[in-house]
């Protein structure tokens, strides 16, 4: 079966929603997300906008992510007694890559992997710094 590349907001939503179905079921990652996120529809929409902005460099205001993912992740870490580790980011990244590879192939798909790897590293380092 030939897979297509990520091309539209609908593709990004498919990726994000498929990925978070896995995250929510994961024994290690699930509790972090399931205990904090109350409105999954809004969260998936926000993350779709985040990834759409990141992948397509969206400039239109209605499709441009406006938020602070670093502050959100630092807050989650604090609320979980500073228990987020590199294991969590590794699991998250593995599920992200797995989901991309199941659904897509191409330049945008590869870019989604690269951006996730960079973002995970950045967030983990900044979470660790915020503990000091």
């Amino acid at each position: 079966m030939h897979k297509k590349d990520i091309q539209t907001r609908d593709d990004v939503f498919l990726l994000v929603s498929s990925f978070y179905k896995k995250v929510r079921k994961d024994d290690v990652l699930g509790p972090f997300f399931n205990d904090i996120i109350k409105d999954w529809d809004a969260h998936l929409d926000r993350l779709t906008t985040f990834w759409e902005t990141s992948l397509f460099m969206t400039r239109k205001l209605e499709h441009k992510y406006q938020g602070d993912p670093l502050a959100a992740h630092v807050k989650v870490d604090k609320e979980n007694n500073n228990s987020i580790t590199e294991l969590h980011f590794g699991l998250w990244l593995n599920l992200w890559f797995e989901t991309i590879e199941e659904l897509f192939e191409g330049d945008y798909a590869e870019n989604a992997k690269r951006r996730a790897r960079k973002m995970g590293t950045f967030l983990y380092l900044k979470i660790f710094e915020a503990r000091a």
Side-chain angles (χ1 to χ4, degrees):
M1 179 182 112
H2 178 70
K3 296 176 235 171
K4 67 176 191 141
D5 202 356
I6 303 168
Q7 299 172 338
T8 65
R9 181 176 176 84
D10 288 341
D11 291 340
V12 176
F13 179 78
L14 174 63
L15 170 59
V16 168
S17 60
S18 299
F19 168 70
Y20 277 99
K21 281 180 190 168
K22 294 177 184 185
V23 167
R24 293 176 75 180
K25 291 178 188 173
D26 187 86
D27 292 339
V28 177
L29 296 177
F32 285 98
F33 292 88
N34 295 325
D35 292 348
I36 290 177
I37 298 166
K38 303 304 178 208
D39 184 347
W40 273 97
D41 289 338
H43 190 69
L44 293 174
D45 185 61
R46 187 169 32 263
L47 290 173
T48 296
T49 300
F50 172 83
W51 281 103
E52 182 184 28
T53 300
S54 180
L55 293 173
F56 304 138
M57 302 300 173
T58 307
R59 300 268 186 248
K60 290 188 280 183
L61 191 56
E62 70 271 13
H63 291 293
K64 184 173 169 115
Y65 178 78
Q66 297 175 340
D68 187 347
L70 176 57
H73 286 83
V74 167
K75 180 181 175 200
V76 169
D77 184 54
K78 284 189 188 324
E79 290 173 357
N80 285 277
N81 299 313
N82 297 327
S83 62
I84 294 177
T85 69
E86 65 277 1
L87 169 71
H88 298 100
F89 281 95
L91 291 170
W92 180 90
L93 198 58
N94 285 339
L95 288 176
W96 182 251
F97 277 35
E98 176 184 290
T99 307
I100 291 170
E101 289 167 3
E102 288 170 358
L103 299 171
F104 301 102
E105 65 183 9
D107 292 340
Y108 282 102
E110 291 304 312
N111 193 28
K113 292 177 189 178
R114 281 190 302 275
R115 288 186 178 273
R117 189 180 300 111
K118 286 180 181 178
M119 181 179 52
T121 301
F122 171 79
L123 287 174
Y124 179 68
L125 291 173
K126 291 299 183 181
I127 284 172
F128 187 76
E129 285 177 9
R131 292 177 185 174

